[in-house]
Amino acid sequence: MEATDKVFAGPIPQIYDRLLVPLIFRPYAEDLADRVMASRPSRILELAAGTGALTRAMAARLDGASIVATDLNQPMLDLAAAQLPGNDRVVWQQADALDLPFADESFDAAACQFGVMFFPDKPKSHREVRRVLRPGGRYLFNVWDAVASNDFTAVLLDALAEAFPADPPRFIERTPHGYHDVGTIELDLMAGGFARPMIERIEKRARADSAVDVATGFCQGTPIRGEIEARGAPGLMAATEAVAKALEHRFGSGPIEGGIAAYVVSAQRE
C-alpha cells in the first residue's frame, strides 16, 4: 500500500460523502449496523469511521448504547460529526487502529466499515481490537470482493488504463479491493488472537443518477485523485470524463446501476 492511499483530505471527504456513500457504502452500512446491534451491545467502538455512514446507521438503532467513532483522518471525522449534531451517545475521536488509545476490555463490540484494507499491519490491528473488547465481544467488519465482482470499479480501472497506458492509477485495485482472500482474512484474524471467523459474501446493487456522478465520486472523491493529478496529462477532469464515457457505454445514459459484492466478517473474543 502506498502512503497516499490513506490520505482523505482537501475536497475528497465532501465528494466521497456526497457521491460514494449513497452509491456503495450506505447499503452495506445498513447491513453491518443490523449485525452489530443484534447482540445489543452497550458500548461500541468503530474503526475507520470515515464520513460516518456506518456511524449514522448504528446511531439510528441505538437503544441506550453509545458509540466511540474513530478514524485516522480528522477531516473525515469532522464531516461525519457535522452530520450528527447534538448526539451525546456518539463520541468522535481521532485514533490509529494499530495503537488504540483505549483501556483493555472497554467495549462490548467493535465494527469497521470498509477500513481494514487500509491498515498496514492487519494482525496488529486485530490484536488491538481484541485487547479492547470484553470477553465474548464481537468484531464485525466488511471488505470489498475483487474488482471483477464490482461492476463500476471494473469499468473505472479499464478506462484509467486507457487514459494512462504507461502507468495506470492502481489505488482502487491495490487497497480498497486488495483484501478479499478469505483464507488470508482468517489467518490474519487468528494471528490477532481471534477464533476462526464467520465470513459471508453479500451482493448488492449500486445505483446512481448518472455515469458522471459515479466517475466523479471515484476519480475525485478517493485517493485515486492524487494518483491522477500526479501523472499530469490528460489531467483530472479529462480522466473523469473518460471514465464517465466508459460507464455510459457499458450501462447507458441517465440513471445507472451495477452489481457490487463484499464480504462481511464476524469474529468473537473468547
Side-chain angles (χ1 to χ4, degrees):
M1 183 174 64
E2 302 291 332
T4 55
D5 287 4
K6 297 183 290 183
V7 178
F8 286 79
I12 289 176
Q14 289 77 16
I15 297 172
Y16 171 101
D17 191 68
R18 179 171 60 89
L19 296 176
L20 291 185
V21 165
L23 179 69
I24 58 174
F25 293 110
R26 187 177 296 153
Y28 284 102
E30 297 293 327
D31 173 85
L32 195 60
D34 283 340
R35 295 169 189 263
V36 172
M37 304 310 295
S39 61
R40 301 182 66 84
S42 61
R43 193 161 189 251
I44 304 161
L45 171 66
E46 183 182 1
L47 306 174
T51 59
L54 176 60
T55 321
R56 293 189 292 275
M58 292 192 296
R61 293 161 170 79
L62 290 179
D63 183 12
S66 64
I67 302 168
V68 178
T70 70
D71 198 279
L72 188 64
N73 287 278
Q74 189 63 46
M76 299 286 271
L77 282 181
D78 292 342
L79 184 55
Q83 298 185 67
L84 276 176
N87 191 324
D88 60 3
R89 293 193 177 277
V90 180
V91 174
W92 307 93
Q93 184 169 341
Q94 193 275 340
D96 185 342
L98 273 61
D99 186 20
L100 294 171
F102 306 111
D104 296 355
E105 300 183 7
S106 53
F107 294 93
D108 302 298
C112 185
Q113 163 92 332
F114 296 117
V116 172
M117 306 90 74
F118 291 85
F119 301 159
D121 187 336
K122 294 169 182 62
K124 184 177 181 180
S125 73
H126 298 330
R127 283 194 295 274
E128 277 292 275
V129 171
R130 185 186 182 280
R131 178 182 65 78
V132 302
L133 278 178
R134 298 185 178 112
R138 283 203 168 273
Y139 180 27
L140 294 106
F141 63 87
N142 47 23
V143 295
W144 292 113
D145 197 357
V147 166
S149 297
N150 289 268
D151 292 341
F152 292 157
T153 50
V155 173
L156 164 80
L157 290 184
D158 285 346
L160 289 177
E162 290 186 15
F164 301 94
D167 185 20
R170 295 292 188 189
F171 162 74
I172 297 290
E173 182 179 20
R174 179 175 61 242
T175 300
H177 291 273
Y179 192 58
H180 54 79
D181 182 81
V182 171
T184 299
I185 295 169
E186 289 180 342
L187 289 174
D188 284 349
L189 277 163
M190 289 187 287
F194 286 97
R196 185 179 295 275
M198 296 183 293
I199 302 178
E200 182 181 358
R201 187 176 185 273
I202 304 292
E203 294 184 354
K204 292 186 178 293
R205 302 292 292 176
R207 297 176 176 86
D209 290 337
S210 69
V212 171
D213 281 353
V214 177
T216 303
F218 281 110
C219 292
Q220 301 181 28
T222 73
I224 208 169
R225 179 189 186 118
E227 287 190 307
I228 292 171
E229 291 176 329
R231 282 159 174 76
L236 180 62
M237 295 310 299
T240 304
E241 291 172 5
V243 171
K245 288 180 180 178
L247 288 164
E248 286 184 355
H249 179 75
R250 169 76 182 274
F251 301 103
S253 59
I256 63 173
E257 68 173 77
I260 51 177
Y263 291 99
V264 179
V265 183
S266 175
Q268 185 173 26
R269 174 174 178 175
E270 296 181 336

